[in-house]
Amino acid sequence: MQTIWLTGAEWAAVLRIGLGLWWLESWRHKDRKGWFERGTGIAWAAGVAAEHRWQAVRTGFEKVVAPRPRATARIVVYAELALGLGLISGFLTPIALVGGLLLNLLYLVLMIHDWAEQGQNAMMVLISLVALFAMSWQTWSLDNAIGLFL
């Protein structure tokens, strides 16, 4: 592949790092006190799930999230931090890309009715797929430096 300025592998790394910065910003702007102490994030998601057009989403939320709101809040918030750090540093990159892909798909399903929100999730899914299939950990990554996922 011929490109201008960077190699194809370096452009894939740029996508990976950019996606990591996006996850890190998602973590940074969260009101963690609200999520952890007041339960604002899960309460918002509960309202969305309760009105969801798909019964499976309502049932899944009631069985998985509703009984464990504090644990779920911590998982969501710290998953976004871990994804950001993992993708930026290129550590356990394929795992971070698949994890982020799954989290974005979960967000897509939860917010299926709000197309304004879907653009971000759709772009993050697309970038995750490109970074995964381009094996973006081959350049500028800890994975490459220590010989993981060759």
Side-chain angles (χ1 to χ4, degrees):
M1 171 194 311
Q2 288 192 347
T3 66
I4 297 173
W5 189 37
L6 301 174
T7 67
E10 290 169 340
W11 280 117
V14 167
L15 275 178
R16 181 198 82 229
I17 293 165
L19 181 61
L21 290 169
W22 203 340
W23 278 116
L24 204 57
E25 174 57 19
S26 182
W27 171 80
R28 188 198 64 79
H29 84 265
K30 278 203 174 25
D31 174 11
R32 286 178 288 287
K33 189 172 186 175
W35 272 71
F36 297 154
E37 294 176 18
R38 296 186 309 275
T40 56
I42 300 303
W44 169 82
V48 172
E51 300 295 321
H52 205 281
R53 67 177 100 171
W54 296 345
Q55 179 63 39
V57 172
R58 293 190 301 271
T59 302
F61 191 90
E62 287 301 316
K63 290 185 185 266
V64 177
V65 178
R68 305 163 194 84
R70 288 181 184 255
T72 304
R74 291 194 183 283
I75 289 168
V76 168
V77 170
Y78 289 123
E80 290 183 356
L81 174 61
L83 290 168
L85 295 175
L87 292 171
I88 291 166
S89 67
F91 183 62
L92 301 176
T93 309
I95 296 165
L97 287 167
V98 170
L101 180 68
L102 293 173
L103 192 55
N104 276 126
L105 289 173
L106 182 67
Y107 293 166
L108 274 167
V109 168
L110 182 62
M111 294 300 297
I112 197 79
H113 67 283
D114 184 356
W115 288 105
E117 179 73 18
Q118 298 302 37
Q120 173 179 317
N121 290 311
M123 287 290 85
M124 291 176 84
V125 165
L126 179 61
I127 294 168
S128 295
L129 288 171
V130 170
L132 182 64
F133 291 118
M135 299 186 339
S136 63
W137 53 90
Q138 295 177 80
T139 302
W140 303 335
S141 73
L142 291 175
D143 291 338
N144 186 52
I146 60 178
L148 287 176
F149 310 111
L150 298 178

